[in-house]
Amino acid sequence: MHTPHSRTKLAVSISAILVSGLATSAAYAQDASTQTLERVEITGSAIRRIDAEGALPVMVLKKDDIAKTGATSTVDLLQRLSTVQGGTPEAGSVGGSTFGFSGVSIHDVGETRTLVLLNGHRLSQFGGQTLTGFAAGFDLNGIPVSAIERVEVLTDGASALYGSDAIAGVVNFITKRDYQGASITVGVSTPKDGAKEKRASISAGFGNLDTDGYNIGVTYGHDERTALKATSRSYASTGNLLFSEGGKTYRSQNSSASSIPANVVDDNGNLISPYLIKNGSCPTNTFRVTDGSDDYCGFDYVSTLEIYPVRKRDSLMTSATARVGTHDLFADVLMSQTKQTSRIAPVPGGVPVTAGSALFNQYLAPLGITQDTTAYYRVNDLGWRTNEDKAKFLDIAIGSRGTFGTIDYSATYTHSKSDVKGNISGYPGALALSKLTSSGLIDPFVLSGQQSADGQKALDSIAYKGYWDGGAATLDTIQTQASTAIATLPAGEVTLAVGSNFNKEKFESKPSLFAQGLLSDPVTGTLCDPAKGLECNQRFGDAAAMVPYTAKRNSWGVFSEVNVPVVKGLDLTGDVRYDRFSDFGGASTGKLSFRFTPTKTFLLRGSVGTGFHAPSVPQVNAALQSYGVTEDPYTCTAALQQIATSLSAQCQPGKKQYDVLASGNPDLKAERSKQATLGFRMEPTRSISVGLDYWWVGIRDAFGQLDEETVFKNPLKYAGSWSTQKDIATGATYLAFKNDNLNLGKLFKSGLDLDATFREKFGFGKVTSQIQATYMLRSRFQYEQNGDYFSNLGDNTTGSMAFRWKGSWRNTVAMGAWEHTLGMNFKSGYHDAETEVQELDAAGNVVNPAAVVRLRAKAYYTFDWQTTWNINKTMSLSGGVLNLGDKAPPFVLNTTGGQQVGYDANLYDPRGRTWYLNGTVQF
């Protein structure tokens, strides 16, 4: 893939669907009708054409379109597209070890099934990907929005051309090429009380390809953002949720049993709070929780969250091109670095309290407790648990493109690497903390800040701060392709394209010695040696014993594409491809598409094809190891207790998170897909353009893990999903959730992508109005082979959710040096999962402790405004407001990931009304 030497009709009008309310292909074609047409290559085809519309649905966002969205990153930009659903946003890092990853998913098919390209070539997967396949895609933070000339989004499966990972479609970022001059852009964004951004970029280009025979371009960008605290948003500030539904008042309590001061288990196995018993109420950052016979102070971890993390990014993009005859020799280098700091509540966990000890006699014996027990403690005096993640990305592309006679060709070598390192602070070693508690130096039953001076000093001495985990993913690729006309028919030329690629992948998992559980003293780095009395320590709060590994694989692929003009106005295109992987075998894919234009104002197009998605290297090769804890806390039901007893383990007391285990699966098969599209575009007048594309995709042997909430609701049905994990701080063996990679079954999704555009000049200026929307018809999947089908379409019961409707309506008025854009963004409502809550009377007393409600999230509409002033030919200023009405996300009780409650950060942006200002000077 490469960009043309000049802006052509095709390059500006591939798609009828444009973001930001600008003109569609018809209008652009009118503006470009006098330009010289060149044969250029587009995403989704290896054949260069002069046609303004192809057989496949491709939307194009030019630099001007991107600016009008107000998006300051590629993450924000793609999340605004109606066709994009299901990817990981930046707020997804809250409460999880994501290393700051953000991905893109077309049509909710999945970010690992959406191929991301840079100037037409593949990029390495994320170095911080997990062994279960999360983040086994490209991290969008690696591509700076300042370097993008345009984005092409193919919304149809394209495995027959690109190979693996393109089942959902392709996103191709095209960077600046043949740029002369220089420009500086600076900007700020200011939401209320946090998440403030400032940014700057500079671009410079030297030489003209046509006259000088060379061009060198450089773009540097820097941006940084402050944190946004949960307490800065009323809907995100607490886990103790009071709400009304159906004329009744309810309460939903989201807390942790590990609190400050600590809760304990009494002789009857009940979780109680010594502080509550003594004082009659719970302290700050906690609230009283009664669950059956448990009565304790639950820690309000939600109130401590930072729901948008601190971030700094730097990027440098350099492109050099030299023209030699009919050949362009090029070298592109992209280097980027993202630093993200995310903070969550202080570390929780259990510490033993021995009968007869000073702590036991002071706090527990007076309560009638006679046996050894466990204190569930929040180590508030160590401060937040902090993840400081650094993700470096390097991409080098060297090659040549041009012509040999009538043959167009390109040949490229690329080296791409994602290197991720994660540092932590706020975590002690479990054994070290247990010993301090047993010695009496640390008192888990006092409030935060009330440790003795010696106790606080001892705590500080065992707090670990440093490298925890990371990884590196590397991809080396040699890619070649060529196309030429091979015959002439009455309706036109028959064009053939052939190509090949060779890929070499490598993944390295790099946990620290502490993360591997190989240190006796994490602070000093002393190795453990049980034979010498140096016990192996682990991180307090979760059983973390990761296993480092390195895995490699090679793959190669060959493809061919032919375009045949059957009769005037009807073209057929066929693609076939074969890929071979060293670790799981081969895959053959094919595609047939057509383009029919019976009149100049009507286009009918469609395609059918097959695809595949190879498992990631870690998904196949990783060893069984700890994989953190469950997203949500769970109460031990009778069924869970039955599973625990059968494994000679204990349930977690109260309502707590459970340890998770996971591993690679060498028997994992590649996902296979079938897909189809059928659409039309009509332009009844020069001012109006309407388009509609139906799409369908079916996948078998889908990768995944069983949804934790589903498994915890019916643990006996999923008996193979359980194991055990020993807590070295207490010596207790607890039930653990085993979340292995599996081929779960089938997945089906279908929908409609539609748009309508009006564009006309009036006396006061040029008006453009465009509606762009996606309507999902079906989203069904299985959790297991031949199992029941579930749907997440407008329904969050399964722990994921797809909007039935998603879209935007943008209106632009251009008047001389001024341009004003008003946009509306909309998402349909959906049903939340059924949730057990407490029903309260007018006095706030619980009248039904096990009431069940199912909320409906209302449809969500926000408005954006932007005004641009082109001061002169070299200076412009643009300012605007995102979420003009400061509309809060809908209230829900369940989320699709992360620790936030009350709203879903994966589906809605918590920043609220955001003012922004950007200024550009060109030289």
Side-chain angles (χ1 to χ4, degrees):
M1 296 293 303
H2 66 270
T3 54
H5 302 321
S6 62
R7 295 176 62 193
T8 69
K9 177 180 176 183
L10 175 61
V12 296
S13 61
I14 288 176
S15 173
I17 308 173
L18 290 178
V19 173
S20 309
L22 294 186
T24 58
S25 59
Y28 276 127
Q30 295 162 19
D31 292 344
S33 59
T34 60
Q35 296 180 8
T36 301
L37 299 181
E38 298 179 8
R39 290 186 296 169
V40 297
E41 184 183 332
I42 63 170
T43 303
S45 177
I47 297 172
R48 305 178 193 180
R49 318 170 194 245
I50 63 170
D51 306 288
E53 286 285 347
L56 305 178
V58 180
M59 65 172 66
V60 176
L61 292 77
K62 297 198 307 175
K63 187 174 181 177
D64 290 343
D65 309 332
I66 295 170
K68 286 181 173 59
T69 67
T72 58
S73 69
T74 55
V75 181
D76 288 343
L77 173 65
L78 295 181
Q79 287 293 327
R80 293 172 179 271
L81 299 183
S82 68
T83 55
V84 170
Q85 286 200 62
T88 302
E90 289 190 84
S93 65
V94 178
S97 298
T98 69
F99 295 105
F101 173 82
S102 294
V104 58
S105 166
I106 294 176
H107 291 150
D108 195 46
V109 177
E111 57 197 5
T112 61
R113 304 183 186 110
T114 301
L115 180 62
V116 177
L117 305 175
L118 178 63
N119 296 320
H121 67 261
R122 281 179 173 269
L123 303 166
S124 68
Q125 294 181 341
F126 187 52
Q129 65 183 278
T130 69
L131 56 87
T132 58
F134 170 75
F138 177 73
D139 178 25
L140 295 176
N141 291 295
I143 296 182
V145 71
S146 57
I148 298 173
E149 186 66 23
R150 71 177 188 274
V151 184
E152 299 174 351
V153 182
L154 169 62
T155 56
D156 184 21
S159 290
L161 183 63
Y162 296 108
S164 180
D165 309 337
I167 287 177
V170 180
V171 178
N172 190 10
F173 293 99
I174 310 298
T175 57
K176 296 176 181 178
R177 184 79 63 184
D178 199 16
Y179 175 71
Q180 294 93 38
S183 66
I184 297 175
T185 299
V186 295
V188 294
S189 297
T190 58
K192 181 182 178 182
D193 297 331
K196 300 182 186 301
E197 290 188 27
K198 53 185 178 181
R199 53 193 172 270
S201 65
I202 181 169
S203 298
F206 312 92
N208 184 290
L209 274 177
D210 293 327
T211 59
D212 302 323
Y214 75 94
N215 178 260
I216 299 174
V218 179
T219 298
Y220 169 75
H222 172 81
D223 66 84
E224 51 188 74
R225 182 185 62 213
T226 63
L228 176 63
K229 295 182 179 180
T231 51
S232 297
R233 298 293 181 264
S234 60
Y235 52 81
S237 60
T238 180
N240 194 23
L241 305 175
L242 297 175
F243 64 98
S244 297
E245 178 70 12
K248 297 181 179 181
T249 301
Y250 298 98
R251 179 173 65 192
S252 175
Q253 295 185 311
N254 301 268
S255 66
S256 170
S258 295
S259 192
I260 174 75
N263 299 304
V264 297
V265 178
D266 65 16
D267 288 355
N268 297 316
N270 301 321
L271 195 63
I272 62 171
S273 168
Y275 183 94
L276 174 62
I277 294 173
K278 179 180 179 180
N279 296 281
S281 61
C282 291
T284 304
N285 285 337
T286 70
F287 48 81
R288 187 171 184 175
V289 178
T290 55
D291 187 0
S293 55
D294 294 332
D295 189 359
Y296 60 94
C297 294
F299 185 79
D300 189 3
Y301 64 88
V302 177
S303 65
T304 67
L305 296 175
E306 290 183 348
I307 55 178
Y308 238 73
V310 174
R311 185 199 66 208
K312 290 184 179 181
R313 288 188 298 216
D314 290 274
S315 61
L316 178 66
M317 179 76 194
T318 302
S319 299
T321 307
R323 180 161 294 170
V324 181
T326 60
H327 311 282
D328 284 354
L329 308 179
F330 64 90
D332 299 335
V333 179
L334 170 62
M335 294 183 291
S336 65
Q337 177 176 276
T338 302
K339 296 180 180 179
Q340 179 171 288
T341 302
S342 54
R343 303 180 180 95
I344 58 176
V347 63
V351 292
V353 182
T354 306
S357 66
L359 286 175
F360 185 93
N361 293 335
Q362 180 180 355
Y363 295 103
L364 305 186
L367 303 180
I369 299 175
T370 62
Q371 304 171 359
D372 294 350
T373 188
T374 298
Y376 292 95
Y377 177 41
R378 179 78 52 169
V379 196
N380 232 48
D381 294 298
L382 283 181
W384 276 310
R385 282 173 288 172
T386 302
N387 284 67
E388 296 179 338
D389 300 316
K390 181 188 294 185
K392 294 182 178 181
F393 179 68
L394 171 66
D395 185 75
I396 302 172
I398 302 172
S400 175
R401 55 178 170 261
T403 61
F404 285 106
T406 61
I407 299 175
D408 296 307
Y409 80 94
S410 66
T412 308
Y413 163 74
T414 59
H415 171 77
S416 187
K417 183 176 183 179
S418 172
D419 195 345
V420 173
K421 296 179 180 178
N423 290 348
I424 62 170
S425 60
Y427 291 89
L431 288 177
L433 184 65
S434 179
K435 290 176 181 178
L436 286 181
T437 306
S438 298
S439 71
L441 194 57
I442 299 299
D443 188 343
F445 299 107
V446 297
L447 293 168
S448 179
Q450 293 186 355
Q451 296 291 340
S452 66
D454 288 340
Q456 185 62 55
K457 184 177 180 181
L459 267 180
D460 294 339
S461 71
I462 66 171
Y464 179 79
K465 183 176 182 180
Y467 178 70
W468 172 250
D469 190 21
T474 306
L475 175 67
D476 288 275
T477 298
I478 297 175
Q479 176 179 309
T480 63
Q481 62 187 48
S483 65
T484 188
I486 59 173
T488 301
L489 299 178
E493 293 181 336
V494 177
T495 312
L496 173 70
V498 294
S500 66
N501 65 273
F502 175 80
N503 302 320
K504 186 175 182 179
E505 294 179 78
K506 180 180 179 181
F507 181 81
E508 298 174 89
S509 172
K510 302 177 180 180
S512 65
L513 292 174
F514 186 19
Q516 295 176 53
L518 297 179
L519 295 180
S520 174
D521 186 342
V523 175
T524 62
T526 304
L527 291 171
C528 60
D529 188 347
K532 297 180 180 180
L534 299 174
E535 298 178 83
C536 294
N537 210 341
Q538 292 181 358
R539 189 169 71 173
F540 178 69
D542 62 293
M546 303 178 190
V547 179
Y549 62 93
T550 298
K552 304 177 182 179
R553 77 170 169 211
N554 297 331
S555 64
W556 55 266
V558 292
F559 74 90
S560 177
E561 179 178 277
V562 62
N563 176 254
V564 180
V566 181
V567 296
K568 186 176 181 180
L570 175 62
D571 289 356
L572 295 180
T573 302
D575 297 86
V576 292
R577 182 181 175 96
Y578 180 76
D579 289 271
R580 188 76 184 180
F581 287 75
S582 60
D583 56 353
F584 80 88
S588 298
T589 51
K591 188 167 190 172
L592 181 64
S593 57
F594 77 91
R595 176 184 182 277
F596 180 47
T597 52
T599 70
K600 293 182 178 180
T601 60
F602 185 82
L603 164 70
L604 183 68
R605 63 187 174 194
S607 68
V608 292
T610 60
F612 81 103
H613 173 214
S616 69
V617 174
Q619 280 180 297
V620 175
N621 296 281
L624 179 66
Q625 56 192 279
S626 299
Y627 191 64
V629 295
T630 56
E631 289 184 354
D632 297 318
Y634 296 93
T635 301
C636 185
T637 62
L640 269 180
Q641 184 61 59
Q642 183 177 337
I643 292 287
T645 301
S646 70
L647 296 174
S648 301
Q650 302 178 28
C651 270
Q652 293 284 358
K655 191 173 185 179
K656 293 194 65 181
Q657 293 170 297
Y658 280 70
D659 290 315
V660 178
L661 301 175
S663 68
N665 182 358
D667 297 323
L668 204 62
K669 297 182 291 185
E671 297 178 327
R672 305 285 180 156
S673 71
K674 295 180 181 179
Q675 55 267 331
T677 63
L678 182 64
F680 72 87
R681 172 150 302 284
M682 58 185 298
E683 296 157 0
T685 71
R686 292 174 59 87
S687 299
I688 298 174
S689 178
V690 179
L692 177 69
D693 285 287
Y694 167 79
W695 55 270
W696 175 91
V697 59
I699 301 172
R700 61 181 171 90
D701 297 325
F703 303 147
Q705 299 78 40
L706 297 178
D707 173 63
E708 72 172 53
E709 185 176 353
T710 300
V711 175
F712 273 85
K713 283 182 177 179
N714 197 347
L716 296 176
K717 179 179 178 180
Y718 302 99
S721 295
W722 303 102
S723 185
T724 62
Q725 191 80 314
K726 185 176 181 179
D727 184 342
I728 66 168
T730 63
T733 298
Y734 290 107
L735 185 66
F737 176 43
K738 195 162 177 275
N739 205 20
D740 281 340
N741 297 307
L742 300 170
N743 290 112
L744 296 180
K746 296 179 180 179
L747 178 152
F748 296 97
K749 292 181 183 287
S750 63
L752 300 170
D753 295 334
L754 58 135
D755 73 284
T757 299
F758 170 79
R759 189 183 192 188
E760 189 62 79
K761 291 182 179 180
F762 296 94
F764 58 85
K766 183 186 293 185
V767 175
T768 302
S769 180
Q770 183 189 50
I771 294 177
Q772 174 204 12
T774 292
Y775 180 75
M776 296 280 287
L777 294 168
R778 183 166 69 157
S779 180
R780 302 180 68 220
F781 51 89
Q782 296 173 302
Y783 278 131
E784 51 197 336
Q785 297 281 353
N786 303 315
D788 295 334
Y789 279 94
F790 298 85
S791 175
N792 69 341
L793 187 53
D795 190 331
N796 190 28
T797 301
T798 63
S800 66
M801 210 291 297
F803 291 106
R804 173 77 73 174
W805 278 103
K806 183 186 177 189
S808 63
W809 179 25
R810 302 196 183 278
N811 302 273
T812 299
V813 179
M815 301 180 295
W818 295 87
E819 190 170 75
H820 311 283
T821 299
L822 175 65
M824 180 183 74
N825 312 291
F826 56 90
K827 297 175 179 178
S828 57
Y830 67 91
H831 290 284
D832 198 8
E834 286 189 350
T835 309
E836 187 175 292
V837 295
Q838 297 173 332
E839 183 184 344
L840 308 179
D841 61 17
N845 300 310
V846 177
V847 295
N848 183 358
V852 176
V853 298
R854 191 181 192 197
L855 302 182
R856 176 167 177 80
K858 297 181 180 179
Y860 187 67
Y861 302 85
T862 61
F863 293 87
D864 302 332
W865 175 269
Q866 183 186 88
T867 292
T868 298
W869 178 27
N870 295 307
I871 302 171
N872 52 45
K873 291 183 178 180
T874 61
M875 299 178 63
S876 65
L877 191 67
S878 64
V881 188
L882 304 176
N883 194 352
L884 191 61
D886 198 24
K887 189 168 184 178
F891 174 73
V892 292
L893 298 176
N894 299 275
T895 66
T896 57
Q899 291 192 3
Q900 306 94 323
V901 298
Y903 80 105
D904 197 318
N906 280 340
L907 304 178
Y908 305 98
D909 191 329
R911 286 175 290 185
R913 182 188 295 121
T914 301
W915 299 82
Y916 67 90
L917 183 67
N918 298 310
T920 299
V921 178
Q922 298 182 6
F923 303 95

